[in-house]
Amino acid sequence: MIERVRGFRDSYPEDMLPRQKMFDVMRETATQFYFSQIEIPSLEYLDLYRVKSGEELLTQTFSFTDKGGRELTMIPEATPSVVRMLTSRKDLKKPVKWFCLPKLWRYEEPQSGRSREHTQFNADIFGDSSMFADAEIIGLACSTLDKLGLSGKYKVRINDRMLMEKILRDIGISNIARGYSLIDHYRKLSADDFKSQLLELCKESEKADFLLQLLGKEIKLDQLDTKFPEQFKRENEEIVSRLKNTGILVSKLTSAELVYDASVVRGLGYYTGIVFEGFDRAGEFRSIFGGGRYDNLGQLIADTPIEAVGFGMGDAVLELLLKKNNLWNLTTRAGSFAMCTVGNETIITAYELATKLRQLGYAVNVDTSQASLSNQLKKAAANSVNYTIIIGPKEIKDNVLTIRDMNSGTQVTGRMDDLEKLIESVSSKQI
Amino acid sequence: MIERVRGFRDSYPEDMLPRQKMFDVMRETATQFYFSQIEIPSLEYLDLYRVKSGEELLTQTFSFTDKGGRELTMIPEATPSVVRMLTSRKDLKKPVKWFCLPKLWRYEEPQSGRSREHTQFNADIFGDSSMFADAEIIGLACSTLDKLGLSGKYKVRINDRMLMEKILRDIGISNIARGYSLIDHYRKLSADDFKSQLLELCKESEKADFLLQLLGKEIKLDQLDTKFPEQFKRENEEIVSRLKNTGILVSKLTSAELVYDASVVRGLGYYTGIVFEGFDRAGEFRSIFGGGRYDNLGQLIADTPIEAVGFGMGDAVLELLLKKNNLWNLTTRAGSFAMCTVGNETIITAYELATKLRQLGYAVNVDTSQASLSNQLKKAAANSVNYTIIIGPKEIKDNVLTIRDMNSGTQVTGRMDDLEKLIESVSSKQI
């Protein structure tokens, strides 16, 4: 007996229906925001991630040397591939708005909301350095959640890497990368551990207070000014006001709550501006989506500077959140028929009718089991079909048909050739 | 500059739109045939394919030993995973009708219609050994092609492994697997090479003629009887008549032409009954789809006997065929708006309107570039949007809006708050 590989998942129909609905909403919302779909390869050279993804990610890949001696990896994130695709085309009109729905793989310990394979909704705007692009990216992520029924169930924490760099420098930290890395672990460390590590990094304990005061608080964007010392505020007015204005713009695209949170810096090394994460309000799960501005990655990967902002939204946490909110629903097939057959000879006629119904857009199951009629009808009911049709020798001899509406119980009988009329007639009899 | 890995593909929006349409048609047709979607993992233990997939396939996998010392492979075909999923659930009501759209990987020389990564439409019926299941599987594959516009552009060649085994035994071949393998190469070998290898295998040259006469011909199913010697026909009446009846059933589900072709045996080792392949009529490409009955695989993989019939339809050959028939079309977005903005101050209003439009189901692009109005309008026209709206300071001050229909050139002006009415009004003015 060969098992499923650990950390991987089999999706059966009962999960696949809401799953597909989730992907459809992602695709639909992205299209409404005028993003175009692309598809990226599942394998890339490992070098593509060496540039800027950080050491932690590199150790967590499904990577291998192929038969041609090339060091390849199953893609652990989408952004480097998307940037590679973008920079290898010189004819694209900016701004470029792309989304994709790739599978991603990470070799890490499987846990709630994190498996070794997941599908990610990924969207980016290239060639636009404005706050409008930042706002649209956050707006798209939030509108997708809104469309899935999650309005009011989540909030977005934002920060800005440039602002953080100023703060870190202001409190005397020169190793900025180390600073980000420490802040990224803020929620995983105890308050004391964090403080002692921060003091070690910035040397001057009285200055560190500014950052310690900011961290772990959710600050309304319109009150952001009040949290900074006067001089700092004056020197960084532009960054702070862009962040505030971005918040205003986002509020026109979604009703989601946006707050400033200094502890949000994102793990990946390549962010250069705004960074953000979506969280469930109850604080039960990992982040629902995350992203930011990364204006240097094109330069690093392909020696081609390109402004970029984007997000990734994994399917795993989203599924947990939808389930918790009773939104992981089976969607009933609209307009489905079960055809019961009596005797093998009736199946040819049943197939002919099924083909007509399918051409009209209906979903049709022809039961060819030759089980008893009552068993066939039971199965049809269990499948929650909308209509049943019984095809027996008598029906064929008389060229008649009975369609039964399984919800209302009404039924109509008429000539087989009048199939369309019969369907209309039984539909109109619904209460 | 890091390149794309050889044999892999980047799909840009111009290809992704028809590609997505193709996948949507597959999903839609499968649903109409009452198949339920599942999703299989991208990685499996290599052992899953050792059982019965054949040595050739094993040498063509992207396989590796993971950090835990497990021999894994990126899945080269869908069927073993689907069978693993099916046999690991004991509560499923038979027959089970499943489809999936996984990515598959093969490490082989890239060529036309075959790359190292492709997406496959895969459908199976489990727990039904009847010819009805065979017919529905072929009917689904053909109906999908019909829906894509390929009616009359392809045909289906069928055969039966049981019938072939009888023929091979009849002409004195005892190594059946060798016999299949040789026949599988019939179209790749010269007539002389094939004949000499066949004679070597069956030893008695006068008997081999029976098979040589059959091979390479497309025989109408209703004439199949006439091609066999009397005694052979009598002894194998049941198999032959099932094949003929399957043809009649399929003809009720699709208008596709079905022919008997003795050279179709399929490479994979696990087929036990009917086998079939779909080809373009011009004979230009590899097979469009292929499949058959494999009643023993459940036993081999999971020690659980289960009747099964299914097909796989790859995206690569299908794309070539659709392109050749001018069916690889960009689908225009239905109901799309371009909003041109004049001055940064207008963007908030533009965002508010865009959100309203998106809630009404439209796709909206807000141009925030602050390029000249004529450039913004040019870009909108190049994107073939249906409608444009210009938001300038005057429009905001006067609370008015002009919607222009880009096809008819008509435009309507009205109050911003009457957005819905304005859209209706401009739509009704279309010629």
Side-chain angles (χ1 to χ4, degrees):
Chain A
M1 182 88 188
I2 300 156
E3 302 282 336
R4 184 177 64 233
V5 179
R6 181 158 178 265
F8 286 75
R9 179 175 170 178
D10 296 329
S11 291
Y12 287 90
E14 57 270 28
D15 268 330
M16 199 58 212
L17 272 176
R19 203 170 149 68
Q20 190 57 45
K21 191 173 127 186
M22 175 174 80
F23 296 140
D24 286 345
V25 167
M26 290 167 172
R27 199 174 283 128
E28 212 177 289
T29 316
T31 303
Q32 290 190 329
F33 272 74
Y34 230 80
F35 284 64
S36 300
Q37 191 170 358
I38 59 162
E39 203 173 278
I40 59 177
S42 301
L43 281 184
E44 296 275 6
Y45 289 110
L46 191 57
D47 277 342
L48 191 61
Y49 309 89
R50 287 225 167 85
V51 183
K52 200 72 187 174
S53 293
E55 273 311 305
E56 195 188 355
L57 189 138
L58 275 185
T59 63
Q60 291 175 343
T61 55
F62 280 97
S63 47
F64 57 93
T65 305
D66 81 352
K67 286 159 183 134
R70 290 164 287 249
E71 227 185 332
L72 303 179
T73 189
M74 295 173 76
I75 59 171
E77 53 162 337
T79 309
S81 305
V82 177
V83 171
R84 182 186 55 65
M85 271 183 70
L86 184 100
T87 51
S88 65
R89 279 271 294 263
K90 305 297 173 199
D91 61 324
L92 300 168
K93 289 235 168 60
K94 308 286 176 341
V96 169
K97 296 161 76 175
W98 279 353
F99 77 99
C100 51
L101 283 162
K103 292 210 165 164
L104 305 177
W105 297 272
R106 294 216 183 171
Y107 191 86
E108 54 185 349
E109 209 40 39
Q111 45 188 290
S112 173
R114 187 164 282 204
S115 60
R116 290 183 168 173
E117 172 170 59
H118 77 283
T119 300
Q120 193 187 68
F121 175 30
N122 192 87
D124 299 277
I125 300 179
F126 295 101
D128 186 343
S129 62
S130 75
M131 64 181 167
F132 305 117
D134 299 354
E136 280 195 52
I137 277 292
I138 300 174
L140 170 56
C142 295
S143 296
T144 305
L145 299 184
D146 296 346
K147 262 202 156 188
L148 285 165
L150 291 168
S151 267
K153 310 284 185 191
Y154 68 97
K155 64 183 157 197
V156 184
R157 299 192 185 121
I158 71 171
N159 194 0
D160 190 292
R161 279 267 182 128
M162 282 195 296
L163 184 62
M164 278 317 284
E165 185 176 337
K166 300 284 180 169
I167 293 174
L168 291 176
R169 291 201 192 284
D170 193 67
I171 67 172
I173 293 178
S174 51
N175 189 340
I176 301 298
R178 263 299 278 122
Y180 286 154
S181 169
L182 178 59
I183 293 171
D184 194 37
H185 288 84
Y186 174 74
R187 278 164 208 276
K188 288 166 199 153
L189 295 170
S190 74
D192 287 348
D193 280 353
F194 180 84
K195 191 172 178 178
S196 72
Q197 289 188 36
L198 183 68
L199 292 182
E200 207 174 301
L201 212 59
C202 81
K203 305 266 156 40
E204 302 166 69
S205 61
E206 76 287 358
K207 286 208 161 182
D209 266 359
F210 170 25
L211 180 56
L212 285 168
Q213 288 299 320
L214 270 181
L215 282 168
K217 290 197 185 63
E218 293 181 349
I219 300 161
K220 291 219 165 92
L221 282 172
D222 55 13
Q223 287 162 26
L224 191 53
D225 299 59
T226 66
K227 307 293 169 183
F228 300 124
E230 272 310 316
Q231 197 194 335
F232 181 88
K233 205 167 64 185
R234 262 198 314 280
E235 285 169 7
N236 299 289
E237 209 190 324
E238 211 181 317
I239 306 177
V240 175
S241 109
R242 174 170 171 145
L243 212 47
K244 288 170 64 175
N245 286 329
T246 303
I248 294 171
L249 288 164
V250 171
S251 75
K252 304 301 171 189
L253 299 172
T254 169
S255 57
E257 187 190 355
L258 241 73
V259 291
Y260 177 82
D261 187 328
S263 71
V264 171
V265 292
R266 309 279 304 146
L268 293 168
Y270 48 64
Y271 290 111
T272 55
I274 195 170
V275 282
F276 54 86
E277 287 181 341
F279 285 93
D280 64 302
R281 281 193 170 276
E284 229 175 299
F285 307 114
R286 291 158 178 276
S287 65
I288 314 166
F289 65 85
R293 178 164 283 283
Y294 54 100
D295 287 342
N296 294 340
L297 197 59
Q299 185 71 53
L300 290 164
I301 283 180
D303 211 13
T304 307
I306 182 81
E307 306 90 347
V309 60
F311 73 83
M313 181 188 287
D315 58 352
V317 169
L318 193 49
E319 177 178 336
L320 292 175
L321 188 61
L322 288 167
K323 279 180 172 164
K324 197 201 149 192
N325 286 285
N326 292 319
L327 293 164
W328 194 254
N329 300 323
L330 283 171
T331 41
T332 322
R333 292 162 204 269
S336 57
F337 281 83
M339 298 184 73
C340 308
T341 61
V342 185
N344 275 346
E345 314 70 43
T346 62
I347 294 178
I348 285 194
T349 307
Y351 273 14
E352 284 173 341
L353 283 169
T355 301
K356 274 189 207 163
L357 286 167
R358 286 171 186 147
Q359 279 161 357
L360 292 170
Y362 295 103
V364 188
N365 188 48
V366 180
D367 193 328
T368 58
S369 67
Q370 301 309 315
S372 73
L373 201 51
S374 69
N375 271 340
Q376 290 188 51
L377 286 167
K378 252 184 233 163
K379 223 193 304 175
N383 277 331
S384 27
V385 296
N386 304 112
Y387 306 101
T388 50
I389 298 180
I390 298 167
I391 312 279
K394 196 176 157 18
E395 279 79 7
I396 292 176
K397 196 173 141 275
D398 300 344
N399 186 33
V400 294
L401 204 62
T402 300
I403 302 180
R404 185 187 175 83
D405 184 314
M406 298 293 276
N407 297 316
S408 65
T410 52
Q411 57 182 52
V412 294
T413 303
R415 292 184 57 237
M416 271 193 199
D417 311 328
D418 294 335
L419 185 62
E420 271 188 81
K421 269 194 220 156
L422 286 174
I423 297 170
E424 269 173 45
S425 155
V426 75
S427 309
S428 67
K429 282 199 181 164
Q430 278 179 34
I431 310 138
Chain B
M1 182 88 189
I2 300 156
E3 301 282 336
R4 183 176 67 233
V5 179
R6 181 156 179 269
F8 286 75
R9 181 176 167 175
D10 295 329
S11 291
Y12 288 89
E14 57 270 27
D15 268 329
M16 200 56 212
L17 272 176
R19 204 171 149 69
Q20 191 56 45
K21 191 173 128 188
M22 175 173 78
F23 296 140
D24 286 345
V25 167
M26 290 168 172
R27 199 174 281 127
E28 213 177 289
T29 316
T31 304
Q32 290 191 328
F33 272 74
Y34 230 80
F35 284 64
S36 301
Q37 191 170 358
I38 59 162
E39 203 173 276
I40 59 178
S42 301
L43 280 185
E44 296 274 6
Y45 289 110
L46 192 57
D47 277 342
L48 191 61
Y49 307 90
R50 288 223 166 87
V51 183
K52 199 71 186 175
S53 293
E55 274 311 305
E56 196 189 354
L57 189 139
L58 276 184
T59 63
Q60 291 174 343
T61 54
F62 279 97
S63 47
F64 57 93
T65 305
D66 81 351
K67 285 156 183 142
R70 287 164 291 247
E71 226 183 335
L72 304 179
T73 187
M74 297 173 75
I75 59 170
E77 52 161 338
T79 309
S81 305
V82 177
V83 171
R84 182 186 55 65
M85 273 183 70
L86 184 100
T87 51
S88 65
R89 278 272 293 267
K90 305 297 175 199
D91 61 324
L92 300 169
K93 290 236 169 60
K94 309 287 174 346
V96 169
K97 297 161 75 176
W98 279 352
F99 77 98
C100 51
L101 282 162
K103 290 209 169 169
L104 305 177
W105 298 271
R106 294 216 183 170
Y107 190 86
E108 53 185 349
E109 209 40 39
Q111 45 187 290
S112 172
R114 186 164 283 203
S115 61
R116 287 181 169 174
E117 172 170 58
H118 77 282
T119 300
Q120 192 187 69
F121 175 32
N122 192 87
D124 299 276
I125 300 179
F126 295 102
D128 186 343
S129 61
S130 75
M131 63 182 169
F132 305 117
D134 298 354
E136 279 196 52
I137 277 293
I138 299 175
L140 170 55
C142 295
S143 297
T144 305
L145 298 185
D146 296 346
K147 262 202 157 186
L148 286 165
L150 291 169
S151 268
K153 309 286 185 191
Y154 68 97
K155 64 185 156 194
V156 184
R157 299 190 185 123
I158 71 169
N159 194 1
D160 191 290
R161 280 266 183 129
M162 282 194 295
L163 184 63
M164 279 317 283
E165 185 176 338
K166 300 283 180 167
I167 292 174
L168 292 176
R169 291 202 192 283
D170 193 67
I171 66 171
I173 292 178
S174 51
N175 189 339
I176 303 298
R178 263 297 279 123
Y180 287 153
S181 168
L182 178 59
I183 293 171
D184 196 37
H185 287 85
Y186 174 75
R187 277 162 210 276
K188 286 167 200 152
L189 295 171
S190 73
D192 287 347
D193 280 354
F194 180 82
K195 191 171 177 178
S196 72
Q197 289 189 35
L198 183 68
L199 293 182
E200 207 175 301
L201 211 60
C202 79
K203 303 269 157 42
E204 301 165 70
S205 62
E206 76 287 0
K207 286 207 164 183
D209 265 1
F210 170 23
L211 180 58
L212 286 168
Q213 289 298 320
L214 272 181
L215 282 167
K217 291 197 183 63
E218 293 182 349
I219 300 163
K220 291 216 163 94
L221 282 172
D222 55 12
Q223 286 162 25
L224 191 52
D225 298 57
T226 67
K227 307 295 170 182
F228 300 123
E230 272 309 314
Q231 198 195 336
F232 181 89
K233 203 167 68 184
R234 264 198 313 279
E235 284 168 11
N236 300 290
E237 210 192 321
E238 210 181 316
I239 307 177
V240 176
S241 108
R242 174 171 170 146
L243 210 49
K244 285 170 66 176
N245 286 329
T246 303
I248 294 170
L249 289 164
V250 171
S251 75
K252 305 301 170 189
L253 299 171
T254 169
S255 58
E257 188 191 354
L258 240 75
V259 290
Y260 177 82
D261 187 327
S263 71
V264 171
V265 293
R266 309 279 304 148
L268 293 167
Y270 48 64
Y271 290 111
T272 57
I274 196 169
V275 282
F276 53 84
E277 286 181 343
F279 285 93
D280 64 301
R281 283 192 168 274
E284 229 175 300
F285 308 114
R286 290 157 180 279
S287 65
I288 313 166
F289 64 84
R293 179 163 283 283
Y294 54 100
D295 287 343
N296 294 339
L297 196 59
Q299 185 70 54
L300 289 164
I301 283 180
D303 211 14
T304 307
I306 182 79
E307 305 90 350
V309 59
F311 73 82
M313 182 187 287
D315 59 351
V317 170
L318 194 48
E319 177 179 335
L320 292 176
L321 188 60
L322 288 167
K323 279 182 174 164
K324 196 201 149 191
N325 287 286
N326 293 317
L327 293 163
W328 195 252
N329 302 322
L330 283 171
T331 42
T332 323
R333 292 164 203 266
S336 56
F337 281 82
M339 297 183 72
C340 308
T341 60
V342 184
N344 275 347
E345 314 71 42
T346 62
I347 293 178
I348 287 195
T349 307
Y351 273 13
E352 284 172 342
L353 282 168
T355 300
K356 275 190 204 162
L357 285 167
R358 285 170 187 148
Q359 279 160 358
L360 293 171
Y362 296 102
V364 188
N365 188 50
V366 180
D367 192 328
T368 59
S369 66
Q370 302 310 317
S372 74
L373 201 51
S374 69
N375 271 342
Q376 291 188 51
L377 286 168
K378 252 183 233 163
K379 223 194 303 176
N383 277 332
S384 26
V385 295
N386 304 113
Y387 307 100
T388 49
I389 297 179
I390 299 167
I391 312 279
K394 193 174 159 21
E395 279 80 7
I396 293 176
K397 193 172 143 276
D398 300 345
N399 187 33
V400 293
L401 204 61
T402 300
I403 302 181
R404 185 186 174 82
D405 184 316
M406 297 294 274
N407 296 315
S408 65
T410 52
Q411 56 183 51
V412 295
T413 303
R415 291 184 57 236
M416 271 194 199
D417 311 329
D418 294 335
L419 185 61
E420 270 188 83
K421 270 194 220 156
L422 286 175
I423 296 171
E424 268 173 47
S425 155
V426 75
S427 307
S428 67
K429 282 199 183 167
Q430 277 178 35
I431 308 141

